[in-house]
Amino acid sequence: MPMFSLRVNGKEQTADVDPNTPLLWVLRDSLGLVGTKFGCGMSLCGACTVLVDGEPIRACSTPVSGLAGKNITTIEGLAKSPTQLHPLQEAWIEHDVPQCGYCQAGQLMSASALLARTPQPTDADIDAAMAGNLCRCGTYQRIRAAIHTAAGKLAKGKA
Amino acid sequence: MNARLNPAAAADETLRELMREVELGGPALPMYAVKLDRRHFLKLTGLAGGGLALGFFVGSDAIAAAAKGSAEFSPNAFLRISSKGSILIYNKGPEIGQGIKTAFPLIIAEELDAKWSDVVVEQAPVNPAVYGRQSAGGSRSIPDSWDQLRKAGAVARAMLLSAAAAQWKVPVDELSTRDSAVWHGNRSLRYGALATKAASLPVPDAATVILKQRKDYRLLGKSYTGVDNRQVVTGAPLFGIDQQLPGLKFAVFEKCPATGGKVRTANLDEVKKLPGVRDAFVVEGNGKPTEVMAGVAIVADSTWAAFEARKQLRVEWDESSASKDSWTALTKRAAELSKQPAGETTTLSVGAVADALKGAAKTVEGFYTYPFVSHAPLEPQNCTAWNHDGILEFWSPTQTADRALTTLAGALGVPVEKIKINQTRVGGGFGRRLMNDYACEAGAIAQRFPGPVKLVWTREQDMAHDFYRPGGFHSLAGGVDATGKLVAWRNHFISFTTDGKNPVSGGNLPDQEFPAQNVPNYLLSQTLLPLTTPCGPWRAPRSCSVAWVIQSFLHELSAAAHRDHRDFLLEVMGEPRLLPGGLNTGRAADVIRLATEKAGWGRKLPAGHGLGLAFHFSHAGHIAEVAEVSVDQNKRVRVHRVVVASDIGPIINMSGANNQCEGAVIDGFSTMLGLEITMENGRVDQSNFHQYPILRMADQPRVEVHFIQSDNPPTGVGEPALPPVAPAICNAIYAAIGHRVRTLPLTKEGFSV
């Protein structure tokens, strides 16, 4: 099988997989990055959301063959460092967002793409950006509040 | 219907046993079926680096003695205080999103008088002989473990106090504790400094230790973020599906789409040649849906290789004893039966319903239908198993770690002491993972394949092989007298059976269910239709469906009597009293008053808007909810706000309790709005989230939660906030547009969001 080179969280990685293999399984099974979750396999639930060149994509339906030379960011790479969490991650902890927690990596990646594009989102912006991410436990109210809190922190940080 | 030929009958027997355990709160497993008064603590000696460790034993002296003899350094403790001052608390129960991994340690820390920031929490090993109940179901975790965990903390505190008294040479009653230290006036000794000394002292009798008064609580009742949250938000490997082991291989397991089908032939030779495939073989199984059904296992180098190989798998199924269930046929039959005022068997008869209906000033009839639904936790069923060194080891996201030991041992023919289960975090339970079928399958594969294997179900398999919340039908008649008082209630309940005798799991209606004890003339009868589709407990089993029927029909009656529904509901509750079954009408009235007050009951609303009220008692929780909705001309529904008023006794973690109520409202709305499982020829029609549309963020209502923290014993809140949601919303829809919803999901009656 061909070797694929991928840049994941700023690090060059290689995987020996079939070209059609979705990024999700390369991350999880080949690279041991299991923070990105499998939920549906059909881009319906958003649990596998990662960023490719800053854009949120569903890793369960994105073949690895098209990702050469692109920057892939997963939940493991969202924080600047282990001691410096992303403001969204801090806000998630502050609002005690997770219940089972399984969807939250995908939620955070979608939210991070939103804030990169729209630093001060309205509720409607949030609803639109997060529409692809299911939470079976129903933590939506807290997700929305945490995104607002993180947006506030980012604005303060820049001021 | 020959019950012996029905594979689901075996499942129902297992599930009835399981639900008895869950609902009675006392696990009936022989290994720890002992009287609770035989509880005692055991000090574990020889702790590396010194310090105090306490084991808590529920079991015979022999079990405790055996554990002591082998416990040079035993992890089988609730609590370890190192001489350096760190306080490690083990969480014994499965964390399924209900927040128990935070709540349980908080209870211990409260009685210990530990500073929460000093506490580190780890998941306990699975050993019910040491820990007692290790399952999450029936919202029973808190009530069943409340005393046990408080005593675990209090015993340790007593020993630390004794150690300090000895060191300072002062009487114990001059000492106090707070913030992980013992205090004598202004001087203090940190628990860490006392740990080694405390470890040398005798363990006091747990029955004699003094537990704190509620007014003295420093930790309980405040808000805490979940102890795993940092790991959750950084993507750390926590869940069952995240397990990694050297040399791990990946498996899929294909079963007949109709429950009960067996493998006749399969193209195993072709499948074995596919890229990345290591092996493919038939597993005969034992015919129990809760354990191992017949199927084909494929083991591969990656999950994707296994999934791809599954697409090439061709199985010819022997469906001679497989499910032929048809939802279309079942609903047709139920509609015919609904015309009969009474069913095959009379469950409960109080007063004289026929006469009361005849004499009523107003009568109402209604036929209510709700569908089967699936649990659909976001983490698909999975389990990692490894047959090594004479043991069968599992990493399993299970809700019933304790029961899994005996289930796995029985299903796989392995002595229970050769089974080891590692509890992982669980990516959603909702009742689905009370069953351990996926773990049994993983074990069966691991018995055939050398090396560790991770079994992962596809979403489609997860939806096709669930233990569904059963659908059901209620043909109702009720009457009110000239003063508008409820005088008669008749229900012909049409449900399902797999064995020809008993209702399916979650498809029963007990004698004590409201309003049996609140109306002078009551008649409940039932007809059971044969079914093969496996059913099981789904978040607030039974309550999650019947509360909608009962609380909606009650509103039909108050509307017919032109009564204010709040007044009507309070009148039905009557004088404050405790009824058999646990409903306390006084607590019910209190939450009904609180919910209506907070929601602004009775205020003027714009056209097309309505408020709806419902109450339900389940899982020891008294909960009333008021929904505010608007409905437009195209039957588009907007649920603006849901107010929850809850009495579950004192709150352990306020943030966790709020989160559970918020989630229960979203889950309840999501389910009643657009979710249904249908089946034809024994096959479930829905396969993935496009056909099973879980609610998305934009459609969520604002949820507002209020607690009455009564002095009743605390109980769990994973379930009881769900049942009132659907009737509150339907009653609000009626208030808004005068349309009575009698069929769920709402989409069946043309509603959308």
Side-chain angles (χ1 to χ4, degrees):
Chain A
M1 272 186 285
M3 294 290 281
F4 287 93
S5 292
L6 292 170
R7 197 178 311 126
V8 183
N9 301 327
K11 200 170 142 195
E12 297 296 332
Q13 304 259 27
T14 55
D16 182 13
V17 295
D18 181 276
N20 293 322
T21 307
L23 174 63
L24 172 67
W25 300 112
V26 177
L27 292 172
R28 290 184 59 85
D29 293 350
S30 305
L31 305 181
L33 294 170
V34 295
T36 305
K37 295 295 190 267
F38 168 57
C40 69
M42 286 178 70
S43 298
L44 296 167
C45 76
C48 66
T49 306
V50 299
L51 305 184
V52 172
D53 289 342
E55 286 301 311
I57 60 116
R58 311 301 177 206
C60 75
S61 311
T62 305
V64 68
S65 54
L67 296 170
K70 297 187 191 292
N71 285 304
I72 298 162
T73 309
T74 71
I75 188 68
E76 289 90 346
L78 185 60
K80 267 191 190 153
S81 73
T83 53
Q84 198 186 350
L85 295 184
H86 189 283
L88 280 163
Q89 292 168 312
E90 288 174 0
W92 247 243
I93 294 171
E94 190 183 320
H95 286 268
D96 188 23
V97 170
Q99 285 187 32
C100 88
Y102 194 77
C103 73
Q104 301 297 348
Q107 305 277 5
L108 281 157
M109 297 316 288
S110 291
S112 73
L114 165 68
L115 291 190
R117 198 170 57 236
T118 313
Q120 295 301 313
T122 62
D123 279 353
D125 293 333
I126 293 172
D127 288 352
M130 305 301 289
N133 291 80
L134 290 179
C135 175
R136 176 67 183 83
C137 301
T139 63
Y140 296 129
Q141 189 159 304
R142 291 181 181 216
I143 290 172
R144 201 194 261 164
I147 292 172
H148 283 305
T149 297
K153 282 185 187 187
L154 280 165
K156 225 175 170 183
K158 277 176 193 157
Chain B
M1 164 70 48
N2 186 334
R4 277 179 307 169
L5 287 179
N6 187 340
D12 265 321
E13 209 169 301
T14 306
L15 287 166
R16 268 194 295 276
E17 194 185 319
L18 189 147
M19 287 314 288
R20 273 196 295 275
E21 286 172 16
V22 162
E23 293 186 347
L24 296 174
L29 303 187
M31 74 171 73
Y32 57 102
V34 289
K35 285 185 184 161
L36 293 180
D37 60 9
R38 302 216 44 180
R39 291 173 168 185
H40 59 274
F41 290 92
L42 191 71
K43 194 172 57 188
L44 303 164
T45 51
L47 196 63
L52 172 65
L54 282 177
F56 184 85
F57 292 87
V58 178
S60 69
D61 293 329
I63 293 172
K68 188 179 188 181
S70 65
E72 183 165 331
F73 172 75
S74 175
N76 294 333
F78 274 111
L79 189 58
R80 280 173 49 192
I81 302 173
S82 80
S83 49
K84 287 181 182 149
S86 71
I87 299 173
L88 173 61
I89 298 181
Y90 285 97
N91 167 52
K92 66 169 188 159
E95 174 57 68
I96 63 171
Q98 86 284 41
I100 216 66
K101 197 171 177 181
T102 306
F104 272 178
L106 271 168
I107 297 171
I108 295 175
E110 177 67 70
E111 289 292 343
L112 180 64
D113 261 338
K115 201 169 158 185
W116 185 239
S117 55
D118 292 339
V119 172
V120 174
V121 177
E122 280 185 19
Q123 192 67 24
V126 178
N127 189 343
V130 170
Y131 286 101
R133 187 180 194 262
Q134 290 190 279
S135 64
S139 297
R140 296 298 307 170
S141 293
I142 293 292
D144 287 346
S145 301
W146 172 240
D147 284 343
Q148 180 196 28
L149 300 178
R150 285 194 300 161
K151 285 176 184 172
V155 163
R157 177 178 167 271
M159 293 170 78
L160 291 159
L161 277 167
S162 297
Q167 183 151 337
W168 280 327
K169 300 190 171 56
V170 295
V172 168
D173 58 15
E174 287 181 13
L175 305 178
S176 63
T177 52
R178 69 171 189 276
D179 292 343
S180 314
V182 179
W183 294 78
H184 183 244
N186 286 331
R187 61 179 173 166
S188 67
L189 277 165
R190 305 277 303 156
Y191 284 172
L194 292 165
T196 303
K197 171 75 179 165
S200 71
L201 299 174
V203 181
D205 183 352
T208 65
V209 294
I210 297 159
L211 298 174
K212 278 186 174 177
Q213 299 283 308
R214 204 175 139 198
K215 63 175 173 52
D216 298 325
Y217 286 167
R218 293 191 175 95
L219 299 176
L220 300 188
K222 296 178 186 150
S223 282
Y224 301 87
T225 198
V227 294
D228 276 347
N229 278 352
R230 192 184 170 90
Q231 288 172 281
V232 168
V233 302
T234 53
L238 282 173
F239 297 91
I241 205 169
D242 297 343
Q243 299 312 303
Q244 293 166 294
L245 290 164
L248 183 67
K249 298 299 173 198
F250 304 84
V252 289
F253 187 59
E254 183 73 353
K255 287 174 288 198
C256 181
T259 301
K262 298 186 182 75
V263 181
R264 191 171 280 148
T265 60
N267 60 339
L268 297 178
D269 291 339
E270 282 171 46
V271 169
K272 282 182 200 171
K273 287 180 201 142
L274 293 170
V277 172
R278 294 289 173 131
D279 203 357
F281 48 86
V282 172
V283 175
E284 297 292 345
N286 62 10
K288 293 184 183 173
T290 51
E291 295 177 6
V292 189
M293 297 297 278
V296 176
I298 303 171
V299 185
D301 289 333
S302 70
T303 315
W304 178 246
F307 282 7
E308 285 294 278
R310 176 178 167 257
K311 291 180 190 163
Q312 304 299 320
L313 175 67
R314 299 288 171 264
V315 186
E316 191 189 319
W317 300 103
D318 168 5
E319 296 194 36
S320 53
S321 54
S323 173
K324 307 286 187 295
D325 292 345
S326 158
W327 178 240
T328 309
L330 291 166
T331 47
K332 195 169 160 229
R333 179 71 189 125
E336 289 161 11
L337 286 165
S338 73
K339 296 182 183 101
Q340 302 172 10
E344 285 170 357
T345 52
T346 297
T347 315
L348 178 67
S349 178
V350 176
V353 158
D355 294 345
L357 283 170
K358 255 182 233 154
K362 280 200 176 110
T363 57
V364 179
E365 291 187 4
F367 178 54
Y368 283 74
T369 303
Y370 46 81
F372 284 69
V373 294
S374 177
H375 297 87
L378 204 55
E379 180 187 14
Q381 306 314 315
N382 69 88
C383 182
T384 297
W386 186 12
N387 197 8
H388 69 101
D389 304 311
I391 63 160
L392 204 45
E393 184 168 8
F394 295 85
W395 290 260
S396 186
T398 174
Q399 282 183 250
T400 50
D402 44 17
R403 168 174 268 276
L405 285 170
T406 46
T407 303
L408 287 164
L412 302 171
V414 175
V416 72
E417 60 273 16
K418 300 287 182 191
I419 303 275
K420 182 182 178 192
I421 301 174
N422 302 281
Q423 292 192 81
T424 70
R425 193 177 176 88
V426 181
F430 312 107
R432 174 61 183 87
R433 288 174 162 109
L434 292 166
M435 284 67 77
N436 292 288
D437 48 324
Y438 45 90
C440 292
E441 292 172 357
I445 295 167
Q447 285 179 317
R448 288 277 296 269
F449 188 86
V453 178
K454 175 157 63 179
L455 170 69
V456 176
W457 291 17
T458 63
R459 172 57 54 193
E460 289 77 10
Q461 290 179 313
D462 196 276
M463 211 162 274
H465 300 291
D466 200 351
F467 297 82
Y468 305 92
R469 191 283 301 273
F473 313 88
H474 298 247
S475 182
L476 291 152
V480 290
D481 68 14
T483 65
K485 194 172 163 22
L486 178 66
V487 291
W489 184 285
R490 187 186 73 200
N491 186 1
H492 174 192
F493 174 43
I494 301 159
S495 186
F496 303 99
T497 181
T498 54
D499 63 5
K501 295 191 300 263
N502 301 291
V504 293
S505 175
N508 61 329
L509 193 49
D511 288 357
Q512 292 162 343
E513 189 66 68
F514 180 84
Q517 303 173 90
N518 299 65
V519 55
N521 303 287
Y522 180 90
L523 179 67
L524 174 64
S525 65
Q526 81 182 9
T527 301
L528 299 176
L529 304 177
L531 189 81
T532 307
T533 304
C535 297
W538 188 99
R539 194 176 197 171
R542 177 180 69 248
S543 294
C544 65
S545 42
V546 302
W548 169 67
V549 175
I550 293 163
Q551 293 290 318
S552 293
F553 193 64
L554 210 55
H555 189 238
E556 290 207 48
L557 287 157
S558 73
H562 303 292
R563 299 276 308 274
D564 174 85
H565 191 56
R566 174 182 170 278
D567 296 345
F568 185 78
L569 194 52
L570 289 170
E571 183 181 273
V572 171
M573 288 300 160
E575 288 303 304
R577 66 206 186 280
L578 179 64
L579 295 172
L583 169 63
N584 182 320
T585 56
R587 294 173 78 183
D590 287 344
V591 293
I592 290 166
R593 288 193 191 97
L594 180 62
T596 47
E597 179 199 318
K598 296 288 182 186
W601 187 255
R603 74 191 140 94
K604 181 124 180 66
L605 294 166
H609 284 242
L611 289 178
L613 164 67
F615 165 85
H616 187 73
F617 165 78
S618 71
H619 302 88
H622 293 76
I623 300 192
E625 294 175 15
V626 175
E628 180 172 351
V629 311
S630 61
V631 187
D632 74 9
Q633 287 161 339
N634 299 316
K635 291 178 105 173
R636 284 194 57 178
V637 179
R638 181 88 209 160
V639 179
H640 300 274
R641 176 185 180 217
V642 175
V643 175
V644 179
S646 168
D647 177 359
I648 52 165
I651 303 299
I652 311 296
N653 175 4
M654 185 55 80
S655 176
N658 273 317
N659 213 348
Q660 291 305 303
C661 290
E662 290 161 17
V665 169
I666 305 284
D667 192 3
F669 178 42
S670 176
T671 305
M672 60 97 72
L673 171 66
L675 302 185
E676 68 170 333
I677 289 291
T678 58
M679 69 294 280
E680 294 301 332
N681 195 27
R683 287 152 165 80
V684 166
D685 295 319
Q686 293 71 23
S687 65
N688 208 318
F689 293 121
H690 60 303
Q691 294 160 323
Y692 199 75
I694 307 280
L695 197 79
R696 291 178 190 268
M697 188 181 284
D699 302 319
Q700 62 162 336
R702 183 156 60 85
V703 185
E704 202 181 294
V705 184
H706 305 275
F707 291 105
I708 295 176
Q709 295 202 49
S710 65
D711 269 322
N712 294 284
T715 192
V717 69
E719 293 169 286
L722 185 135
V725 179
I729 289 171
C730 287
N731 292 347
I733 289 173
Y734 183 84
I737 59 166
H739 176 94
R740 177 60 58 187
V741 176
R742 294 201 186 100
T743 304
L744 290 184
L746 284 177
T747 48
K748 297 289 264 194
E749 294 202 2
F751 290 95
S752 64
V753 285

